[in-house]
Amino acid sequence: MAARTLDITALTCPMTWVRTKLELERMAAGEALVVRCRPGEALENVPRSARDAGHRVAVEGTTVRIVRA
Amino acid sequence: MSNNRRGFLRELASVVTAAKDAPEPVVPDLSDAEVERYSRQLVLPEWGAAAQLALIEASVLVIGAGALGSPVGLYLAGAGVGRIGIVDDDAVELSNLHRQLLHFTPDLGTPKSESAAAKLRFLNPDVVIEPYQVRVAAANAPALVEGQDLVVDCSDSFATRYAVNAACCAARVPVVEAGVLGMAGMVMSIKPGRTACYRCAFPTAPADAPRCADAGVLGPAAGVIGSLQAMEALKLLTGVASAIADGFLQVDLATAEFLRVRVARREDCPDCSPL
């Protein structure tokens, strides 16, 4: 299954995580979400918030891949 | 949010839930404006679209638009409760303004239900606000609470609280009771038939119970108690945390002491034992 994608490069905190969280809520466990972030705040906070919420996270450049718990 | 949309969402959810092989759980979309307006609660780990939609679908009756009803109304409208009824038969008086946050000096003489409704509509135009300029009593309480998802009792007398408790028990509508006087107060959430009710906790009114009008109250004390009621309301509507049930929270703001008092259901409670 192709991973879902989400572009949050136009957003600032806390909307970066709000949009990511709402997208994750719509997904099934094990599904992957690829999030395109701006460097800086989003790239620091989105992976951390996702990990805190119990999801698996991998960061590559400005792309954050989140597998829903 | 219009009634039409709320009805539409409910209909859509039932249709799609009924469909076979639905690809994923149905979560109706929040609008961009809703996501932004509610972002500081949506971002909470305990909150999310499901909790927000539960609020948007909810109908809550706030009894009293005074010192407790003001923070309750403000927080529930701000949080996005879909429909809020405000019941109060009084008019705004000068002596109200030190504690009743919904009313301002130009509102003097205006019915409190109307004054409150106007402010809540300013705060959140998506919420349907229904003012009722009536005094709640045993005779009309059943009709007022019927069909509500939750009642928040912000009245200022034992007689009204008993009437609201009895009506909510009979209709099995959850209710948040509270009282405030001086620098102290109490808050109690009630799930009729499941947890102790207000009459279980206080079987009879104290013989010398003073009313606010006789005894005075500090504004922030009422603000704290009303805010606690709003918090309880959000918990009961969404299930994001446990309510103060089977007991009450006693708050003394002079000493800054919060005490949780346990209460068991009474087998002989005239209001909730039949449930």
Side-chain angles (χ1 to χ4, degrees):
Chain A
M1 189 191 303
R4 289 173 182 246
T5 59
L6 181 68
D7 186 339
I8 57 168
T9 53
L11 303 177
T12 51
C13 182
M15 296 308 290
T16 44
W17 175 239
V18 169
R19 284 291 180 192
T20 308
K21 182 173 178 278
L22 289 175
E23 194 65 27
L24 287 164
E25 285 179 14
R26 301 173 65 85
M27 295 163 43
E31 232 182 309
L33 176 66
V34 174
V35 186
R36 285 185 41 217
C37 300
R38 256 186 320 194
E41 174 273 315
L43 203 52
E44 290 166 23
N45 289 337
V46 169
R48 189 175 61 193
S49 298
R51 285 192 191 98
D52 288 349
H55 307 297
R56 280 193 291 130
V57 179
V59 182
E60 197 177 315
T62 54
T63 299
V64 181
R65 184 182 168 87
I66 305 170
V67 179
R68 194 195 193 289
Chain B
M1 170 151 320
S2 73
N3 294 334
N4 288 345
R5 168 156 173 212
R6 295 172 62 223
F8 170 74
L9 286 179
R10 201 175 288 137
E11 201 171 288
L12 179 71
S14 64
V15 168
V16 182
T17 306
K20 280 189 171 181
D21 305 322
E24 60 192 51
V26 175
V27 182
D29 274 329
L30 295 162
S31 70
D32 287 350
E34 286 170 331
V35 171
E36 185 164 357
R37 181 183 282 271
Y38 306 122
S39 58
R40 291 302 199 279
Q41 55 200 42
L42 287 168
V43 78
L44 286 169
E46 300 84 356
W47 204 268
Q52 194 60 55
L53 288 161
L55 282 197
I56 288 170
E57 290 287 309
S59 187
V60 175
L61 188 72
V62 180
I63 296 176
L68 298 174
S70 288
V72 168
L74 286 164
Y75 280 126
L76 296 191
V81 168
R83 181 182 292 263
I84 301 174
I86 308 264
V87 193
D88 203 305
D89 72 328
D90 285 337
V92 179
E93 297 175 22
L94 192 56
S95 63
N96 300 151
L97 301 185
H98 80 293
R99 69 188 186 285
Q100 302 189 10
L101 304 174
L102 278 171
H103 313 300
F104 307 145
T105 302
D107 300 317
L108 293 177
T110 307
K112 283 189 191 176
S113 56
E114 294 292 345
S115 167
K119 310 311 189 313
L120 298 180
R121 289 177 185 132
F122 275 132
L123 174 61
N124 192 342
D126 289 341
V127 177
V128 177
I129 307 288
E130 295 173 339
Y132 300 97
Q133 196 185 344
V134 293
R135 178 107 197 140
V136 177
N140 63 0
L144 285 164
V145 309
E146 182 64 38
Q148 302 291 341
D149 295 302
L150 178 73
V151 170
V152 187
D153 188 354
C154 302
S155 63
D156 62 356
S157 77
F158 280 95
T160 307
R161 285 195 285 273
Y162 284 131
V164 170
N165 182 72
C168 286
C169 284
R172 291 181 182 268
V173 174
V175 54
V176 184
E177 286 288 354
V180 64
L181 202 62
M183 291 187 272
M186 60 76 66
V187 183
M188 178 178 190
S189 288
I190 295 145
K191 303 174 195 173
R194 292 161 59 198
T195 69
C197 78
Y198 186 73
R199 180 75 78 172
C200 293
F202 306 100
T204 54
D208 58 346
R211 284 172 39 114
C212 279
D214 310 319
V217 59
L218 283 188
V224 168
I225 301 298
S227 298
L228 286 167
Q229 277 187 290
M231 190 72 203
E232 289 300 295
L234 295 185
K235 291 193 283 186
L236 287 166
L237 289 169
T238 63
V240 298
S242 299
I244 305 167
D246 280 325
F248 57 88
L249 182 68
Q250 187 175 299
V251 179
D252 183 343
L253 290 155
T255 57
E257 286 175 315
F258 286 55
L259 178 67
R260 186 87 175 253
V261 180
R262 289 197 61 79
V263 175
R265 291 188 68 189
R266 286 177 185 262
E267 288 179 9
D268 60 347
C269 176
D271 290 351
C272 80
S273 66
L275 303 180

